[in-house]
Every structure is written in C-alpha cells, then in structure tokens.
Amino acid sequence: MNVDKIILRLLAAVFLVGCWKAVPAQAAEEIKERQMEHLSDTRSWFQGVYLNPAMQWDRYRYSLNRLGITGEYSRATTPQQPEHGDKATVMGADIDAFLRKKSVSLWGMARYGNARMSHVAYSETTDFDLLYPYVMADTIGGGTSRKESYDFMGGFACRKNLYTVGLQGRYTAQLEYRTVDPRPKNLSGYLRLNVGAVRSGFFNKTYEGGFSVGFRRYKQTNEIEFYNETSRPVVYHLTGLGMDYYRFRGSYSSTYYKGLGWNATLELRPVAYRNGIYASLGYACQSTEKIISDLNELPLTELNLRQQALEIGYLHRSGRSTWGVKLSETCDDRRGTENIFGSAKDNIYPKIASGRRYRELRYDLLAGILYQYRPAGTAIYGISLVQQYRNVRETYVVPWRKMYSSAQVSALSLKGVWQRKRWLWQTSARLNYVWGCQCDMVLNGNINESMMAPVYRRYALYGNKRCDTQLRAEVGYAVNRSYSLFVAVDWQYAHYMKTRHANLIHLSLGMDF
C-alpha cells in the first residue's frame, strides 16, 4: 500500500470519528453554544496543564469538530531567517475533533499541507529549527522548493471514580525537494507518544493532580544531488555561528538523522474548573545523531536538546466575569558534540575522541493577566496582557565565538465573539512589541564569509526593536442545530531590522459540527 492510500484512509478514519455522535444531551445542544465554549480563552490560558492527556478529559463539556480547507501566502522583503525562505504558498486541509461520551473523551487531528517555498538559503535540511546547527548548506540554495507535510494526532481519556487515565499519539511526516541544482530530497518522520494519569481528591477534595511520561523518536534522510556535471558547489556541514566541519567539507551530501527522547510532566488544578491555582512542571530531552552515509555511516555530530518549563497561575470566575493571572518560566538548552576521527583506512574513519563545542541557552520569563466578560450567552469579550523577558546566549568553543542577546516583549490581545440569530461573528487582534534589545557578538578565528550571512542576519534582528501584528475575522452560519459553515481570514504583519517587513495572509473555509 503506498503512502497516498495510507493518508487517505487515515483522513477518512478521523472524519468518521468526528461524525460520531456524543451523548444525546450534548448532541442536542445547538452548534453555536458548543462553538462559544470552545472559543473561550479560559480553556486555553494554562497551556502546560494540558500536556498531560488525562487532563483533556473535561477540558470541554460539549463535542465540537471542525473540517476546513486552507490557503496561505507569505512574503518578506528580507526574511528574518533565510533558512525558511522569503516567500511561501501553502494549500492544505485539516480536521479537528473533540468528543465527549459519558466517562470517555476522544480527540484527534489530521492535517495535510502542500507548500511551494522560494529562496530557501543556507540550509538544505528539513526541520531546521529542530536540528540547528547541524544542517547541510551550500552557497547556492534559492530556487523554488516543494514541501508536503502530513500531521496526525489522536488521543483518549477515561474517567473512573477518582482516577483518569489518558493516552495521546502524534506522527508528523514531511517530504521536501527541489527540481533544480542543488536538489535536496528529504524525508522526515517524528513520532511522539504520551500517557498520563490524574487523581482527584487533594486539598479537601477541591484539587486534582496528575503526571505524564512520553517517548519521542525522530528520523530524517537528507540527501543533495547535482545534475550539472560541470559545476558543483561545496557542501558544508555546519556546526554553529558560521563554523563548519572543515575536514568533511566538499561533496559528502548523503546524510541522515536519528533521534530519541523522552519527557515528563506534573500538574495540579481545581476540580471541575472551580476557582483556584493551576500549576504545571515539565521536562523534555532528545538526543539526535547526524550520520554521513557516504562515509560508511560516519557519526559526525550529536545534538542534545533539553527543555524545562514551569507555569503557575490563578483563575477566578464570578458571575459573568472571569480573570486569571499566570507566571511561567522556560529554559531551552541546546548542546552540540563533534566527533573527532583518525586517518581513514578503506574509507573507514576510526573515532578517536569527541568534544562539546556548541551551546545555545534560551531563557524566557513571562507574566500575564487575562480578563473575560460574557454579558449573556450570546457574546464573549476578552483581553490579555503579557510581559516577557527573553535571553539568548550562543557560544562556540574553538575558536571562541559568542552571540548574546536580551529583550523585553510586551503583548496585547483583544477578542470578541457575538451571536446574531444564526450568525456567529469572531474578531481578534494581537500586538507584540519587542523592545529593550541588547546584542553583543564576538567572532574569533578565520571567518568563512560564505556561511556568515545568516549569523549577521540574526545579530541584526536581535539588536533592533521589532513589532508583530495579527488581525483575524471569522463569520459562521448555522445551517441547523448541528452544523455551521464558516469562512475566516487571518492577516499577520511583522516590522523588524528598522526597514524590513513581512506579510502573511491565511484563508480557511469549512464547517463545524
């Protein structure tokens, strides 16, 4: 069975699950009431709690499913990251489902995207943000790249007396290629599984606590081909801050990645969405090895990712008003190890040592406040304010190189939802302003200008104020008590590096049921 048939069957399975009716009392609820519940920001204010699949059991009272067709176009005068290109057109479809039936909740998601990207530079590797700095690059890049992505997620949670158990799985696959030299052909797969449990009855039976553990596995084949026999650019194996593995610079263009990791979380929240404290603590790590296939499976580098996250806050409901406050802290630690090899014999390089040369440490501290007012069952008004401090320190050991940056981020979000007979109107606006920017860079050793452009671009971005704006509008029409058609438009604008800017517009059309 080929991949297309597998994808179509999985999409059909998710659609059939989405069409499955919940308990009769919930099925009788009008579609607009179910939509209003799922649109409430109070259900998503504390993101960390819901990393435990068992906590999803009573996230919503009502079932709601969404089927949509999407289109997206983005363009930048100068991209913030040249590795992502300066223009993209994406067509796709998605299905989201959340179902309640007595003591069981089911949820799932299936997404397909077909993208055409222009002028992707300084990276011929898929999942750049996950694998940086250990990617392949050349001095040409550019052209038009194609990417197909498939993303599937499904989970369930079951309640029995004081205990709830949950399981969630997600698989993401991507195929990326280009039809002009250099011609990358990359195929990646990312599997994530999580299992969790929750027990009620803590603190005078008003709180419930839970934990979850997870497993993740990543693979990618990353190959570059050249059809032009008279001209072939140098292939670089980057190692961070403009450095590359000089010994294997040249024509070794067949590699693959394999990664393995795990994660764990702890959660505490009030029972049945009562007023009280919400708290979560999470830790995740993953180790990914880069291997050059051209050299008898030579293990070139190893990347270790570690993330620690803490979130705590308070949510209070009183009559028609709800307010919440939260504090969160996130620390991302990215460490890279390069292997050292002796003289080759029969094209086999013996590994004689290894050294940790690259490190990136990101630290975020956030404080936020949310207020939501629901004057009647037919309207929701919401506002949130967030203040965030960001700090990034990136270093390379030999030769010593460093980039250090810090900034303040102020964010304001507004949201309004209204019902008018069969119509449901939604509007939202978000403004992010990055200020107080400081950036410092030290570059020792010989500088390979061929690979320094993205480093200079990142330095300019971190050192300047920038602004991101998002406006969204959606209108839905309830055909009957169970189905609603919708159309939505989303516009995003970014202004950065003093004179640079980027635009993105996203359109979607579909139905809720």
Side-chain angles (χ1 to χ4, degrees):
M1 183 181 296
N2 59 36
V3 175
D4 292 338
K5 290 183 179 179
I6 295 175
I7 299 302
L8 289 174
R9 291 192 178 187
L10 288 172
L11 286 170
V14 174
F15 179 75
L16 291 174
V17 169
C19 293
W20 177 54
K21 294 296 184 181
V23 294
Q26 295 170 351
E29 293 292 339
E30 290 196 17
I31 181 66
K32 291 183 292 183
E33 176 60 29
R34 292 187 278 138
Q35 290 173 315
M36 294 288 280
E37 183 197 30
H38 283 251
L39 289 170
S40 173
D41 287 335
T42 61
R43 305 282 177 162
S44 58
W45 182 239
F46 297 104
Q47 293 285 346
V49 170
Y50 299 107
L51 295 178
N52 183 345
M55 287 287 184
Q56 297 274 8
W57 176 75
D58 62 346
R59 186 171 187 176
Y60 303 104
R61 294 175 298 164
Y62 304 134
S63 301
L64 184 67
N65 313 297
R66 168 164 286 206
L67 170 64
I69 299 173
T70 62
E72 183 177 288
Y73 176 78
S74 62
R75 185 162 190 172
T77 53
T78 300
Q80 298 185 33
Q81 289 185 277
E83 297 89 351
H84 295 319
D86 62 3
K87 184 171 68 173
T89 303
V90 185
M91 300 299 295
D94 57 73
I95 304 171
D96 287 278
F98 185 90
L99 308 165
R100 288 292 304 274
K101 185 174 182 180
K102 296 181 180 179
S103 60
V104 177
S105 291
L106 300 172
W107 60 92
M109 173 270 292
R111 292 193 178 119
Y112 168 76
N114 192 316
R116 185 186 295 267
M117 303 171 297
S118 299
H119 306 123
V120 175
Y122 304 104
S123 175
E124 301 291 1
T125 304
T126 300
D127 293 324
F128 172 82
D129 293 334
L130 177 67
L131 301 175
Y132 175 81
Y134 298 134
V135 299
M136 281 199 296
D138 54 64
T139 55
I140 298 178
T144 300
S145 302
R146 299 291 299 269
K147 177 189 286 187
E148 289 189 56
S149 59
Y150 307 87
D151 196 3
F152 303 97
M153 183 270 289
F156 81 93
C158 180
R159 179 95 169 181
K160 182 68 173 179
N161 299 326
L162 297 178
Y163 296 91
T164 307
V165 294
L167 175 67
Q168 179 175 292
R170 184 170 185 176
Y171 182 73
T172 304
Q174 297 184 90
L175 171 64
E176 187 173 354
Y177 60 94
R178 188 187 300 130
T179 56
V180 296
D181 285 1
R183 303 169 187 253
K185 185 176 180 181
N186 308 330
L187 181 62
S188 68
Y190 200 6
L191 174 66
R192 285 147 288 181
L193 297 173
N194 286 281
V195 59
V198 171
R199 184 188 185 279
S200 300
F202 297 102
F203 305 111
N204 296 323
K205 300 182 180 181
T206 59
Y207 279 85
E208 56 186 7
F211 72 93
S212 71
V213 293
F215 163 85
R216 54 185 65 184
R217 183 174 180 82
Y218 179 82
K219 294 186 69 175
Q220 180 184 166
T221 56
N222 179 201
E223 299 179 350
I224 306 176
E225 295 183 353
F226 300 90
Y227 286 9
N228 190 335
E229 298 180 357
T230 61
S231 176
R232 182 167 180 157
V234 175
V235 174
Y236 297 90
H237 296 275
L238 301 186
T239 56
L241 287 175
M243 298 295 295
D244 70 285
Y245 209 127
Y246 183 83
R247 183 176 183 180
F248 299 107
R249 179 192 297 180
S251 58
Y252 303 115
S253 58
S254 180
T255 65
Y256 70 90
Y257 299 82
K258 59 178 183 179
L260 197 64
W262 63 274
N263 56 272
T265 67
L266 292 172
E267 301 84 19
L268 179 72
R269 70 171 183 181
V271 174
Y273 280 93
R274 298 174 182 172
N275 299 337
I277 295 174
Y278 291 73
S280 63
L281 175 65
Y283 179 82
C285 66
Q286 179 171 313
S287 177
T288 305
E289 193 174 27
K290 177 180 177 180
I291 298 169
I292 300 182
S293 306
D294 294 336
L295 298 174
N296 291 313
E297 313 296 312
L298 182 139
L300 188 65
T301 60
E302 183 176 326
L303 180 65
N304 290 284
L305 305 178
R306 301 176 184 177
Q307 183 186 69
Q308 174 268 320
L310 171 67
E311 184 179 63
I312 186 169
Y314 183 85
L315 195 65
H316 181 85
R317 296 176 177 82
S318 177
R320 298 175 178 178
S321 300
T322 302
W323 60 268
V325 294
K326 70 176 177 181
L327 291 172
S328 69
E329 170 268 335
T330 304
C331 182
D332 291 285
D333 192 358
R334 183 181 297 254
R335 302 183 183 187
T337 300
E338 299 176 25
N339 295 323
I340 302 172
F341 303 91
S343 301
K345 184 177 182 180
D346 297 329
N347 205 30
I348 297 177
Y349 291 79
K351 177 182 173 181
I352 58 176
S354 63
R356 182 173 295 163
R357 295 193 173 186
Y358 174 83
R359 187 179 186 185
E360 182 191 67
L361 189 63
R362 291 178 175 264
Y363 182 78
D364 291 280
L365 182 63
L366 179 148
I369 183 170
L370 167 73
Y371 178 76
Q372 182 174 284
Y373 179 62
R374 191 168 182 176
T378 58
I380 297 176
Y381 304 98
I383 181 173
S384 66
L385 294 170
V386 172
Q387 182 62 41
Q388 184 176 3
Y389 170 74
R390 293 178 179 172
N391 183 287
V392 181
R393 179 182 173 87
E394 189 176 4
T395 58
Y396 193 85
V397 177
V398 181
W400 173 252
R401 295 188 174 191
K402 179 189 75 171
M403 184 185 295
Y404 172 86
S405 68
S406 63
Q408 299 284 340
V409 184
S410 301
L412 169 66
S413 297
L414 302 171
K415 185 174 185 178
V417 183
W418 305 270
Q419 286 186 21
R420 294 293 184 270
K421 296 182 179 180
R422 293 195 174 193
W423 296 92
L424 181 67
W425 303 84
Q426 303 176 46
T427 59
S428 64
R430 177 183 57 82
L431 174 65
N432 281 11
Y433 181 60
V434 183
W435 54 279
C437 303
Q438 298 181 4
C439 193
D440 180 44
M441 183 167 64
V442 176
L443 298 174
N444 292 327
N446 296 326
I447 295 178
N448 177 16
E449 292 293 344
S450 300
M451 291 293 112
M452 285 301 297
V455 179
Y456 296 145
R457 185 81 53 83
R458 193 160 63 254
Y459 177 73
L461 180 69
Y462 288 163
N464 286 278
K465 299 177 182 178
R466 48 196 185 272
C467 179
D468 299 313
T469 305
Q470 179 180 9
L471 299 175
R472 188 176 189 277
E474 179 178 323
V475 58
Y477 179 77
V479 178
N480 54 38
R481 292 172 60 88
S482 301
Y483 298 89
S484 176
L485 303 178
F486 74 88
V487 59
V489 58
D490 191 327
W491 174 67
Q492 299 178 30
Y493 173 78
H495 183 83
Y496 48 92
M497 293 164 58
K498 295 183 178 180
T499 60
R500 309 303 182 185
H501 60 269
N503 284 277
L504 181 149
I505 186 167
H506 181 94
L507 300 172
S508 58
L509 174 68
M511 63 183 296
D512 291 335
F513 54 97

